[in-house]
Amino acid sequence: MLSLGSGGGKSTKPSFVSYVTPEDMKIKEKEEGLRSKHPYLLPGEVVFCSANHVLKYTQEDASQRGVYGTLLCTNFKIAFISDESASQETAPPFRNKLLSENDIPLTCVDHIYGVSDEKKKLIIGGQVKSKYPSKLIIQCKDLRVFHFSLTYAKEEEAKKIFQGIVHHSLEPKSLKCVFAFSYCETASPSQASRKSSLTLMFETKEDWSVELGRTKGNCKVSSANADYVISEKLPQFFVVPFAVSDDDILRFLGKGIPFWCWSHHSGCALFKMACLPTIQEDGISQKYMHRMLDAVTQDQLCPVKIEDLSSCLPALQDLQLSYNKFKQLFLIDSTTEFWVSDMKWFSSLENSGWLEIIRQCLMKAVEIVDYLESAHTSVLIVESFFVPAVPEEHCSDLCCVLSSLVQIMLDPYYRTRSGFQSLIQKEWVAGGHSFLDRCNHLYQKEKEVPAPVFLLFLECVWQLLQQHAPAFQFSETYLTVLSDSINIPLFSTFLFNSQHHRDTAMKPGHPEAQRSPLNFPSVWDWSLQFDCKAQSLFTNPLYVAKPIQDKALRKTSHQKHQRQLSLPNTLSKPSPRKGFFKEETDNLKKIFLGKRISKWLNPTESSKELYESWQRKPLDYQGLLLPYLDGPSVRVWMQRYLRWVPEAQIFGGGSITTVNRVLELASEIQDLQKEVERRSCRMNSSTAWTQVYSGPPLSARLSSFPFTATHAWSFKPAIPSSIRQSLGSVSSLADKEDDDCQGSGVL
């Protein structure tokens, strides 16, 4: 076990191999009085080090105000325990049962800075010396920023807590050191293995059969990879065209196989494919790919269109670089920094390119929807990016983003909460997305290629949600909580790179396994994090559910189904079959040989026709859903990114904005109107709001509700005098324009 002693003035660089094993944790947890001293610890959680008399600063400019308490580092989190007794009035309105307001999961730490002699320096794991800074700044992946002063703590305690935090949050570790293993070994089976009964986990052949039957897909469930005999990246069960045999799957270890995602009512379907290592001009692999395309066409009785995402979307490294620039807009250390950054907000936002990437993903999804909905053409998504240090790609990154978005736009089932969770299980978890590597949970930089791929997907879903709120059963708060759960090292959903990775980690005898099989909790068991009252905020009150029809009415209206069916025949574009395979095979060869047509693709004329026809129809929230892609329509996810910035909060503004939105959409929410009339409740908007959302008064609410506690800031945000003087008079502020205010998006 790593010793975090004083060091005697010498460098105390921790060893990479000196891991804390679960056996060590058990011994440490048995220490007398530990549980009584720290009653808030979770099962399997142990304290590594702590420091008393630590000052937690508020984010006020030139202020030394804050609260004193104890700073802890456990095998799960960094925690600050205030010396002041918490009252009911100061309790956060939206409490997580696993984490308190001042808790930071170790996997949620993004960067740590040390401040000594007024100089701010980035702390790098493995380069910690015996000295410790007087001030510690911790930036989190959920955009929180914590400021701690170690000046008043004992020297020995300050050294230990500083070195312990850096070691356990920023240095490489093995998988078995992740808190989930210790938790599952200690917690009762009922705590660790509960799952949502309505969510399909896609771990069995039956789950795939249910989904295949629901969409009436003309494919088969394959068990060729049972016990992972063919590929460790693929799930044990998946769906392929009937013409694909087990020998075909075995030939290239699952690569080059069209994996079924979803079937359209017209008979066409959505597939995704992992690239073959190399394609020769005249070889076996070329004939093999031709036969796989033929298999898709034979089963679906439709032509197939190949979509290569590398020709229109950025690579993972570019995605990470763009997000790094984007998130800096919200990691605010002080009021002064906020107002300085505010003057160049739009130019900085545009330079990051993050909103443009979101727009490009939505645009490409619309193009794929157009092929399925208008042209009745099957689509095969291919992701042929070359990722260093990842020699084998299995269409598990941007393919997951696009396939999921297409299904959300076309199928209203995936816009319900259970359907959305099942979609993530199917396309991301069973699809083999490398959550462990992309989220950088282990800090093994030589093996991992971090990139916010799943967050990009949630961003795109949020754009659809804020544009078409009544179409979604879940709320913005649900998406925000889901994005936070990625960085909680407890749920199997986001801890592994594949189902095989998870299963082998649970079995005894594996290098990363424990002595007995473990059952990791799923993130879909929301009762582990929130009580029923908090979970009620996951439901969108504006949701327009699908009306229930009796069987007789359903038969007469079957042919008049609205937007989830295809557009009028005048828009259907018959695809010529003559020369089709030669054209698509040549296109596939260009893709695999690395020939790129263009970096960014503009919307096709057919997509414009799709938009025009869709906009001419009455909006059906249970039918086809398309995003608006013009500049102002793609916005910043304010609840997620601005909830911790006090200067950006509008006191009382959150509820007023929501009520106005409800009033604007009232004419479209027929079900809610009928319910109000039935109950004969004639209430004004403020009374109705109080009935739906119980909590603090309207005037006390913040625009980031429910995440920001109402007691967090007692001041009104104001421009610091130094900044105000440099800007001139207040009246002149309105005349000042941003350096480059023609940004690609607005708040």
Side-chain angles (χ1 to χ4, degrees):
M1 191 170 181
L2 177 65
S3 175
L4 298 176
S6 60
K10 298 181 180 180
S11 174
T12 58
K13 180 179 179 180
S15 174
F16 172 77
V17 297
S18 57
Y19 295 125
V20 180
T21 64
E23 288 76 16
D24 294 334
M25 295 177 185
K26 281 187 175 181
I27 296 175
K28 192 172 184 66
E29 193 172 21
K30 291 180 180 179
E31 294 180 1
E32 185 177 358
L34 178 63
R35 187 61 61 179
S36 60
K37 185 178 180 180
H38 304 294
Y40 44 82
L41 297 179
L42 297 175
E45 185 178 7
V46 294
V47 177
F48 290 144
C49 49
S50 64
N52 298 315
H53 308 298
V54 173
L55 178 64
K56 177 181 176 293
Y57 288 115
T58 59
Q59 288 183 305
E60 295 186 53
D61 218 31
S63 171
Q64 299 298 316
R65 289 189 295 172
V67 58
Y68 285 95
T70 302
L71 187 61
L72 304 172
C73 180
T74 75
N75 59 325
F76 173 44
K77 63 180 182 284
I78 301 167
F80 178 79
I81 312 299
S82 173
D83 291 340
E84 299 179 2
S85 58
S87 63
Q88 186 67 24
E89 295 180 356
T90 61
F94 191 64
R95 191 180 69 86
N96 191 314
K97 294 193 290 186
L98 299 176
L99 298 163
S100 68
E101 187 178 2
N102 295 318
D103 289 350
I104 311 169
L106 295 177
T107 50
C108 190
V109 175
D110 195 8
H111 292 99
I112 297 179
Y113 292 88
V115 179
S116 298
D117 300 327
E118 302 300 325
K119 294 182 180 180
K120 181 179 175 181
K121 181 181 179 181
L122 178 66
I123 305 299
I124 301 176
Q127 300 181 9
V128 177
K129 299 181 180 180
S130 60
K131 294 183 179 180
Y132 63 92
S134 59
K135 185 177 180 181
L136 206 58
I137 302 176
I138 301 178
Q139 294 181 350
C140 306
K141 295 177 182 178
D142 60 5
L143 286 307
R144 289 181 297 168
V145 180
F146 289 87
H147 298 249
F148 298 107
S149 173
L150 304 179
T151 304
Y152 309 102
K154 295 181 180 179
E155 181 178 358
E156 189 71 16
E157 292 182 352
K159 287 181 181 179
K160 286 184 177 181
I161 194 64
F162 169 65
Q163 295 175 351
I165 288 175
V166 173
H167 173 68
H168 293 291
S169 61
L170 295 183
E171 295 189 11
K173 58 178 68 70
S174 68
L175 180 61
K176 66 180 179 181
C177 290
V178 175
F179 174 67
F181 288 85
S182 179
Y183 176 85
C184 296
E185 192 177 57
T186 309
S188 62
S190 60
Q191 288 178 300
S193 62
R194 293 179 295 185
K195 297 178 181 179
S196 173
S197 59
L198 298 178
T199 301
L200 291 178
M201 305 301 288
F202 291 94
E203 298 175 351
T204 64
K205 194 172 183 178
E206 289 72 22
D207 287 350
W208 286 100
S209 298
V210 169
E211 180 69 1
L212 194 61
R214 187 189 68 84
T215 60
K216 298 179 174 58
N218 189 26
C219 292
K220 67 177 182 180
V221 181
S222 174
S223 56
N225 197 41
D227 297 326
Y228 309 101
V229 294
I230 295 178
S231 172
E232 295 180 355
K233 188 67 175 178
L234 297 177
Q236 295 192 73
F237 309 101
F238 45 81
V239 178
V240 294
F242 282 108
V244 177
S245 65
D246 291 353
D247 291 337
D248 293 330
I249 300 174
L250 180 61
R251 178 169 297 180
F252 291 102
L253 302 180
K255 291 193 173 185
I257 297 295
F259 296 105
W260 174 88
C261 298
W262 181 80
S263 289
H264 192 267
H265 74 93
S266 64
C268 58
L270 179 66
F271 295 86
K272 58 185 177 182
M273 176 189 290
C275 297
L276 291 175
T278 56
I279 292 287
Q280 303 297 329
E281 288 291 337
D282 296 310
I284 298 177
S285 56
Q286 181 180 346
K287 297 179 181 179
Y288 175 81
M289 295 303 302
H290 189 286
R291 195 159 65 81
M292 291 299 100
L293 293 176
D294 193 12
V296 173
T297 306
Q298 287 179 358
D299 285 351
Q300 310 306 316
L301 300 178
C302 297
V304 59
K305 173 65 178 177
I306 298 173
E307 286 290 340
D308 177 29
L309 303 184
S310 61
S311 64
C312 58
L313 296 178
L316 297 183
Q317 295 89 339
D318 297 330
L319 185 65
Q320 181 67 50
L321 181 62
S322 175
Y323 182 71
N324 286 342
K325 295 179 181 178
F326 174 75
K327 70 181 180 182
Q328 292 304 317
L329 296 171
F330 312 101
L331 293 170
I332 305 299
D333 285 344
S334 64
T335 302
T336 300
E337 183 179 341
F338 172 83
W339 289 110
V340 170
S341 64
D342 186 63
M343 292 185 291
K344 297 183 179 181
W345 169 264
F346 286 107
S347 58
S348 300
L349 183 62
E350 184 178 22
N351 292 336
S352 71
W354 182 248
L355 294 185
E356 181 62 25
I357 293 176
I358 295 172
R359 180 182 289 106
Q360 292 295 334
C361 287
L362 292 170
M363 183 185 301
K364 176 53 65 174
V366 170
E367 292 179 16
I368 297 175
V369 166
D370 184 36
Y371 284 113
L372 293 165
E373 183 78 3
S374 303
H376 297 168
T377 299
S378 294
V379 178
L380 178 61
I381 305 176
V382 180
E383 184 178 355
S384 58
F385 295 106
F386 173 73
V387 181
V390 184
E392 296 184 3
E393 281 298 305
H394 285 80
C395 56
S396 58
D397 286 309
L398 293 180
C399 274
C400 296
V401 176
L402 268 296
S403 63
S404 300
L405 289 176
V406 169
Q407 294 174 68
I408 290 174
M409 293 179 189
L410 285 168
D411 196 336
Y413 167 69
Y414 295 124
R415 302 197 285 265
T416 65
R417 192 166 129 189
S418 59
F420 184 72
Q421 294 175 173
S422 298
L423 177 67
I424 293 175
Q425 284 292 139
K426 179 179 70 170
E427 296 296 325
W428 294 83
V429 180
H433 179 66
S434 301
F435 279 107
L436 186 68
D437 292 346
R438 298 295 178 261
C439 298
N440 199 22
H441 287 326
L442 302 183
Y443 274 89
Q444 295 181 357
K445 297 181 180 180
E446 70 280 1
K447 295 182 180 180
E448 299 176 352
V449 183
V453 182
F454 186 69
L455 179 60
L456 174 63
F457 164 65
L458 295 182
E459 287 263 20
C460 293
V461 175
W462 181 85
Q463 299 294 334
L464 290 167
L465 173 61
Q466 62 96 14
Q467 292 179 13
H468 308 288
F472 290 86
Q473 186 187 43
F474 50 86
S475 66
E476 176 188 27
T477 300
Y478 170 84
L479 289 178
T480 304
V481 168
L482 183 58
S483 70
D484 291 341
S485 301
I486 300 172
N487 299 311
I488 299 179
L490 181 60
F491 308 111
S492 62
T493 315
F494 306 126
L495 269 186
F496 303 99
N497 290 329
S498 64
Q499 289 184 339
H500 171 268
H501 190 203
R502 179 202 61 191
D503 292 346
T504 52
M506 292 166 54
K507 294 179 180 179
H510 188 271
E512 293 179 343
Q514 305 298 299
R515 296 180 179 177
S516 58
L518 300 177
N519 290 318
F520 295 94
S522 168
V523 71
W524 313 129
D525 181 16
W526 293 109
S527 61
L528 283 176
Q529 297 192 67
F530 302 99
D531 56 25
C532 294
K533 184 178 180 180
Q535 289 185 57
S536 65
L537 295 173
F538 293 174
T539 301
N540 179 14
L542 305 179
Y543 177 60
V544 178
K546 185 176 182 179
I548 301 176
Q549 299 178 347
D550 56 34
K551 294 183 178 180
L553 182 60
R554 195 177 306 166
K555 289 181 180 180
T556 59
S557 62
H558 179 70
Q559 300 300 328
K560 297 182 180 180
H561 213 291
Q562 296 184 26
R563 282 196 172 176
Q564 60 266 39
L565 300 186
S566 59
L567 296 174
N569 293 331
T570 55
L571 287 180
S572 298
K573 301 181 291 296
S575 299
R577 292 179 178 272
K578 185 177 180 180
F580 168 75
F581 286 116
K582 183 179 185 305
E583 178 185 350
E584 285 304 304
T585 303
D586 291 343
N587 184 30
L588 193 63
K589 286 160 58 179
K590 290 180 181 179
I591 292 173
F592 291 145
L593 290 174
K595 298 178 181 179
R596 302 291 178 254
I597 299 175
S598 63
K599 181 63 179 175
W600 302 107
L601 294 182
N602 294 323
T604 61
E605 290 299 325
S606 59
S607 298
K608 293 180 180 178
E609 293 179 2
L610 177 69
Y611 265 111
E612 291 174 358
S613 177
W614 179 74
Q615 290 175 342
R616 285 196 299 265
K617 287 186 172 185
L619 189 57
D620 176 19
Y621 292 116
Q622 291 298 315
L624 175 65
L625 206 65
L626 297 179
Y628 299 106
L629 299 176
D630 59 307
S633 297
V634 180
R635 303 184 177 186
V636 173
W637 186 353
M638 289 194 296
Q639 187 188 65
R640 184 179 193 275
Y641 292 109
L642 292 174
R643 52 185 161 158
W644 314 122
V645 182
E647 293 81 6
Q649 303 304 316
I650 303 175
F651 287 80
S655 57
I656 294 175
T657 303
T658 305
V659 170
N660 288 337
R661 185 172 180 82
V662 171
L663 293 176
E664 292 171 0
L665 298 172
S667 60
E668 300 176 11
I669 310 176
Q670 299 178 1
D671 292 341
L672 288 180
Q673 288 178 330
K674 292 178 181 179
E675 184 68 18
V676 171
E677 292 175 0
R678 187 181 68 82
R679 295 185 180 183
S680 299
C681 296
R682 297 185 177 180
M683 301 179 294
N684 56 37
S685 59
S686 62
T687 308
W689 176 259
T690 306
Q691 183 179 10
V692 176
Y693 295 98
S694 58
L698 282 173
S699 59
R701 288 195 182 278
L702 301 172
S703 54
S704 60
F705 178 84
F707 293 94
T708 307
T710 56
H711 74 286
W713 305 281
S714 58
F715 62 91
K716 293 183 178 180
I719 303 178
S721 56
S722 58
I723 300 295
R724 187 168 61 248
Q725 292 173 1
S726 64
L727 294 175
S729 63
V730 177
S731 60
S732 65
L733 290 177
D735 300 328
K736 288 186 176 289
E737 296 183 355
D738 186 63
D739 292 345
D740 186 11
C741 63
Q742 301 300 322
S744 59
V746 297
L747 289 181

